[in-house]
Amino acid sequence: MSSNPLMAMVRKFATRVELVEADRDAILRLPHATRIYETPAYIVREGATSMRHCTFISSGFAFRQKLTAEGGRQIVSIHIPGDFLDLQHLFLNHADHNVQALTRLHTVEIDRHALQEVVLRHPAIGRAMWVDALIDASIYREWVLNVGQRNARQRIAHLLCEFALRMDAAGLQEKGGYHLPMTQEQIGDAVGLTNVHVSRMLKALVDEGIISRDRRSVKIEDWERLRAIGDFSALYLHLDQAGQVQEFAAQ
Amino acid sequence: MSSNPLMAMVRKFATRVELVEADRDAILRLPHATRIYETPAYIVREGATSMRHCTFISSGFAFRQKLTAEGGRQIVSIHIPGDFLDLQHLFLNHADHNVQALTRLHTVEIDRHALQEVVLRHPAIGRAMWVDALIDASIYREWVLNVGQRNARQRIAHLLCEFALRMDAAGLQEKGGYHLPMTQEQIGDAVGLTNVHVSRMLKALVDEGIISRDRRSVKIEDWERLRAIGDFSALYLHLDQAGQVQEFAAQ
DNA sequence: CGGCATTTTGATAACCATCAAGACGTGTGG
DNA sequence: CCACACGTCTTGATGGTTATCAAAATGCCG
């Protein structure tokens, strides 16, 4: 049954904890459906209630965002294959933010109550999901720091470093560089800057030979300098607990 | 045994979920110790490994912060009685930020592995802890939005609104106003501004009759205007799931 | 090829940081 | 009880970083 889309979840969890046969079976028996979203489709809308399912990314990218009354948009996180898109729906009654497809997105939608039961009844799975949720929270904390204390150049450098490491941990890096499927406006919304200023800062990094670009692919030419500029330390990603999901990501 | 400091945790969880006798007993049997911290003592230090316990606030206030290489300090959250101070330690192997006492702080330190077991083996308790962790994450998202998209005036108004509602939900409001035990420098570090600018913005809000101050006590004189300025919506606090902890907060 | 989104570049201005000095408040020691 | 010291808050002056506005250049898709 390797065609069961839930196998991706099993593989992800297996990178974090020891799963016994019963755990695996419990996951593979979860009521679910697969779905494809095109950009920029909404997967979740703020204020939505009675969500029926939780969503897992099989392939593609998505982001979470919140809007201000004045129309400002803040991207609060970016998600890659192997991430849960709306873990908060597992136990919260309404959505407090929007989730949108950044690229074409293949997902598995898992029945919320069934997943709750599995999480609460299977300690190994519960532990894996806890680690997931706690790493998410850790990334949010770093983003608050990034947007609150760093200047434009540092913020962008930090974002590029984070993405590089997460892509790498998920086995999605490509020949040294990686594809960053975001417009400069979206990068700006993620770090609290305008698209105009993002353009200037990226140009500066290119001119200095720290990164290179080809369309929306970014390649890091000088990791150490970029890391220093972005004041980047990978501790907050808890990669020692994130595991490798390469075979899974190959899809 | 109402003198058991863990009763505070039982009461907190009871506001969220239905606890059976076995759940209550499991909590009350947790290995623990009480402790008092003076400001500005560190409860957790970034990079610390092999944490032995999780900390619950019985009384007093604390905050989480991260530092940049240049010395900038970002306060990423503020915690009040009834909050867990370091939920992330439950399943993550090292601390990714610092936690400090904002006021004199009375805590209960619970053995990490024992708490893990209880969370994983007692579905009701697990559910309550999940809600706690997911609300924490929701607040981080809102802070990213606050710092990333709002101007100084809006950020401060938003912080005041959030604190007012959280204090109220915890039963800690006092005669219309509330005590905000933060210096203006700390407020600045929480919203990404300098103490100088915080001073100016607070003065403006006082001059307009929206708030009043007496030392570090803040009283909201015109909730609706403050709410409008801060673009504040309480949805993200998930108060419908936060429960009332008044009897508990009375300490 | 034409149309639209995105990126780039330049000019100007707003917001907030920085620097500096003085006022206020609180606790301590003489 | 007063004097002093220290942390905090206030106020003013100046400058830097980034937003805003505008227009042209580039890339992408039908």
Side-chain angles (χ1 to χ4, degrees), chain B residues 85-104:
Chain B
L85 256 188
D86 51 2
L87 251 184
Q88 71 282 357
H89 290 171
L90 201 50
F91 295 104
L92 296 182
N93 296 332
H94 61 85
D96 53 64
H97 62 280
N98 304 293
V99 183
Q100 272 184 284
L102 186 56
T103 64
R104 173 176 294 209

mmCIF file of all heavy atoms in Angstrom, chain B residues 85-104:
data_model
loop_
_atom_site.group_PDB
_atom_site.id
_atom_site.type_symbol
_atom_site.label_atom_id
_atom_site.label_comp_id
_atom_site.label_asym_id
_atom_site.label_seq_id
_atom_site.Cartn_x
_atom_site.Cartn_y
_atom_site.Cartn_z
ATOM 1 N N LEU B 85 5.740 28.320 31.500
ATOM 2 C CA LEU B 85 6.817 29.213 31.090
ATOM 3 C C LEU B 85 7.697 28.611 30.021
ATOM 4 O O LEU B 85 8.401 29.314 29.318
ATOM 5 C CB LEU B 85 7.716 29.495 32.298
ATOM 6 C CG LEU B 85 7.531 30.849 32.910
ATOM 7 C CD1 LEU B 85 8.597 31.071 33.944
ATOM 8 C CD2 LEU B 85 7.614 31.909 31.829
ATOM 9 N N ASP B 86 7.731 27.322 29.932
ATOM 10 C CA ASP B 86 8.659 26.698 29.001
ATOM 11 C C ASP B 86 8.111 25.375 28.508
ATOM 12 O O ASP B 86 8.737 24.342 28.602
ATOM 13 C CB ASP B 86 10.023 26.506 29.649
ATOM 14 C CG ASP B 86 9.900 25.818 31.003
ATOM 15 O OD1 ASP B 86 8.770 25.475 31.386
ATOM 16 O OD2 ASP B 86 10.932 25.613 31.645
ATOM 17 N N LEU B 87 6.900 25.497 27.957
ATOM 18 C CA LEU B 87 6.262 24.321 27.392
ATOM 19 C C LEU B 87 7.161 23.633 26.384
ATOM 20 O O LEU B 87 7.133 22.416 26.243
ATOM 21 C CB LEU B 87 4.984 24.757 26.674
ATOM 22 C CG LEU B 87 3.687 24.366 27.338
ATOM 23 C CD1 LEU B 87 2.521 24.767 26.461
ATOM 24 C CD2 LEU B 87 3.674 22.885 27.606
ATOM 25 N N GLN B 88 7.947 24.419 25.682
ATOM 26 C CA GLN B 88 8.779 23.835 24.628
ATOM 27 C C GLN B 88 9.758 22.794 25.171
ATOM 28 O O GLN B 88 10.171 21.893 24.464
ATOM 29 C CB GLN B 88 9.514 24.919 23.840
ATOM 30 C CG GLN B 88 10.627 25.615 24.587
ATOM 31 C CD GLN B 88 10.088 26.647 25.557
ATOM 32 O OE1 GLN B 88 8.879 26.875 25.638
ATOM 33 N NE2 GLN B 88 10.965 27.254 26.312
ATOM 34 N N HIS B 89 10.084 22.925 26.447
ATOM 35 C CA HIS B 89 11.026 21.955 27.005
ATOM 36 C C HIS B 89 10.422 20.584 27.162
ATOM 37 O O HIS B 89 11.124 19.608 27.425
ATOM 38 C CB HIS B 89 11.500 22.416 28.383
ATOM 39 C CG HIS B 89 12.375 23.595 28.303
ATOM 40 N ND1 HIS B 89 12.776 24.298 29.389
ATOM 41 C CD2 HIS B 89 12.933 24.184 27.244
ATOM 42 C CE1 HIS B 89 13.522 25.292 29.000
ATOM 43 N NE2 HIS B 89 13.627 25.253 27.709
ATOM 44 N N LEU B 90 9.130 20.536 27.030
ATOM 45 C CA LEU B 90 8.473 19.255 27.210
ATOM 46 C C LEU B 90 9.038 18.245 26.217
ATOM 47 O O LEU B 90 9.291 17.104 26.556
ATOM 48 C CB LEU B 90 6.967 19.464 26.992
ATOM 49 C CG LEU B 90 6.006 18.466 27.575
ATOM 50 C CD1 LEU B 90 6.281 18.213 29.036
ATOM 51 C CD2 LEU B 90 4.583 18.969 27.397
ATOM 52 N N PHE B 91 9.266 18.693 24.971
ATOM 53 C CA PHE B 91 9.710 17.745 23.953
ATOM 54 C C PHE B 91 10.915 18.201 23.130
ATOM 55 O O PHE B 91 11.380 17.465 22.275
ATOM 56 C CB PHE B 91 8.553 17.407 23.011
ATOM 57 C CG PHE B 91 7.429 16.681 23.687
ATOM 58 C CD1 PHE B 91 6.254 17.334 24.016
ATOM 59 C CD2 PHE B 91 7.555 15.335 24.019
ATOM 60 C CE1 PHE B 91 5.214 16.669 24.648
ATOM 61 C CE2 PHE B 91 6.523 14.660 24.646
ATOM 62 C CZ PHE B 91 5.350 15.324 24.969
ATOM 63 N N LEU B 92 11.401 19.402 23.354
ATOM 64 C CA LEU B 92 12.588 19.844 22.618
ATOM 65 C C LEU B 92 13.818 19.703 23.506
ATOM 66 O O LEU B 92 13.741 19.851 24.724
ATOM 67 C CB LEU B 92 12.425 21.296 22.147
ATOM 68 C CG LEU B 92 11.291 21.530 21.145
ATOM 69 C CD1 LEU B 92 11.253 22.994 20.699
ATOM 70 C CD2 LEU B 92 11.419 20.618 19.930
ATOM 71 N N ASN B 93 14.950 19.449 22.877
ATOM 72 C CA ASN B 93 16.143 19.088 23.644
ATOM 73 C C ASN B 93 16.966 20.265 24.147
ATOM 74 O O ASN B 93 17.793 20.107 25.022
ATOM 75 C CB ASN B 93 17.046 18.191 22.799
ATOM 76 C CG ASN B 93 16.363 16.875 22.483
ATOM 77 O OD1 ASN B 93 15.512 16.426 23.263
ATOM 78 N ND2 ASN B 93 16.692 16.285 21.359
ATOM 79 N N HIS B 94 16.791 21.415 23.533
ATOM 80 C CA HIS B 94 17.547 22.562 24.052
ATOM 81 C C HIS B 94 16.700 23.827 23.978
ATOM 82 O O HIS B 94 15.771 23.934 23.182
ATOM 83 C CB HIS B 94 18.873 22.739 23.316
ATOM 84 C CG HIS B 94 18.708 22.983 21.861
ATOM 85 N ND1 HIS B 94 18.477 24.224 21.343
ATOM 86 C CD2 HIS B 94 18.718 22.139 20.811
ATOM 87 C CE1 HIS B 94 18.357 24.138 20.041
ATOM 88 N NE2 HIS B 94 18.499 22.892 19.684
ATOM 89 N N ALA B 95 17.059 24.788 24.832
ATOM 90 C CA ALA B 95 16.302 26.036 24.905
ATOM 91 C C ALA B 95 16.726 26.960 23.781
ATOM 92 O O ALA B 95 17.918 27.149 23.538
ATOM 93 C CB ALA B 95 16.543 26.705 26.249
ATOM 94 N N ASP B 96 15.764 27.540 23.060
ATOM 95 C CA ASP B 96 16.097 28.419 21.944
ATOM 96 C C ASP B 96 15.915 29.887 22.303
ATOM 97 O O ASP B 96 16.022 30.752 21.445
ATOM 98 C CB ASP B 96 15.243 28.057 20.728
ATOM 99 C CG ASP B 96 13.766 28.034 21.058
ATOM 100 O OD1 ASP B 96 13.228 29.095 21.397
ATOM 101 O OD2 ASP B 96 13.148 26.949 20.989
ATOM 102 N N HIS B 97 15.646 30.182 23.577
ATOM 103 C CA HIS B 97 15.487 31.580 23.989
ATOM 104 C C HIS B 97 15.651 31.665 25.495
ATOM 105 O O HIS B 97 15.742 30.651 26.187
ATOM 106 C CB HIS B 97 14.124 32.108 23.569
ATOM 107 C CG HIS B 97 12.975 31.383 24.195
ATOM 108 N ND1 HIS B 97 12.528 30.169 23.730
ATOM 109 C CD2 HIS B 97 12.205 31.665 25.265
ATOM 110 C CE1 HIS B 97 11.526 29.760 24.473
ATOM 111 N NE2 HIS B 97 11.307 30.641 25.420
ATOM 112 N N ASN B 98 15.698 32.886 25.995
ATOM 113 C CA ASN B 98 15.839 33.117 27.429
ATOM 114 C C ASN B 98 14.479 33.416 28.051
ATOM 115 O O ASN B 98 13.601 33.975 27.399
ATOM 116 C CB ASN B 98 16.741 34.326 27.663
ATOM 117 C CG ASN B 98 18.091 34.172 27.005
ATOM 118 O OD1 ASN B 98 18.886 33.326 27.405
ATOM 119 N ND2 ASN B 98 18.359 34.956 25.972
ATOM 120 N N VAL B 99 14.347 33.056 29.304
ATOM 121 C CA VAL B 99 13.140 33.417 30.057
ATOM 122 C C VAL B 99 13.590 34.111 31.332
ATOM 123 O O VAL B 99 14.484 33.618 32.025
ATOM 124 C CB VAL B 99 12.295 32.177 30.407
ATOM 125 C CG1 VAL B 99 11.022 32.599 31.132
ATOM 126 C CG2 VAL B 99 11.952 31.386 29.156
ATOM 127 N N GLN B 100 12.983 35.266 31.604
ATOM 128 C CA GLN B 100 13.371 36.053 32.768
ATOM 129 C C GLN B 100 12.170 36.455 33.594
ATOM 130 O O GLN B 100 11.065 36.609 33.073
ATOM 131 C CB GLN B 100 14.066 37.346 32.304
ATOM 132 C CG GLN B 100 15.548 37.234 32.088
ATOM 133 C CD GLN B 100 16.155 38.568 31.724
ATOM 134 O OE1 GLN B 100 16.013 39.013 30.586
ATOM 135 N NE2 GLN B 100 16.814 39.215 32.681
ATOM 136 N N ALA B 101 12.411 36.641 34.871
ATOM 137 C CA ALA B 101 11.348 37.126 35.761
ATOM 138 C C ALA B 101 11.137 38.617 35.528
ATOM 139 O O ALA B 101 12.088 39.390 35.499
ATOM 140 C CB ALA B 101 11.732 36.865 37.206
ATOM 141 N N LEU B 102 9.878 38.994 35.358
ATOM 142 C CA LEU B 102 9.535 40.406 35.159
ATOM 143 C C LEU B 102 9.238 41.039 36.520
ATOM 144 O O LEU B 102 9.485 42.225 36.743
ATOM 145 C CB LEU B 102 8.306 40.489 34.248
ATOM 146 C CG LEU B 102 7.808 41.835 33.770
ATOM 147 C CD1 LEU B 102 8.908 42.610 33.063
ATOM 148 C CD2 LEU B 102 6.635 41.632 32.814
ATOM 149 N N THR B 103 8.698 40.230 37.400
ATOM 150 C CA THR B 103 8.440 40.643 38.784
ATOM 151 C C THR B 103 8.908 39.488 39.663
ATOM 152 O O THR B 103 9.388 38.480 39.154
ATOM 153 C CB THR B 103 6.935 40.821 39.030
ATOM 154 O OG1 THR B 103 6.306 39.541 38.863
ATOM 155 C CG2 THR B 103 6.339 41.808 38.058
ATOM 156 N N ARG B 104 8.729 39.621 40.952
ATOM 157 C CA ARG B 104 8.958 38.458 41.812
ATOM 158 C C ARG B 104 8.031 37.346 41.328
ATOM 159 O O ARG B 104 6.851 37.593 41.042
ATOM 160 C CB ARG B 104 8.649 38.800 43.264
ATOM 161 C CG ARG B 104 8.714 37.580 44.161
ATOM 162 C CD ARG B 104 8.508 37.945 45.593
ATOM 163 N NE ARG B 104 9.620 38.759 46.054
ATOM 164 C CZ ARG B 104 10.031 38.770 47.328
ATOM 165 N NH1 ARG B 104 9.433 38.018 48.226
ATOM 166 N NH2 ARG B 104 11.029 39.542 47.676
#
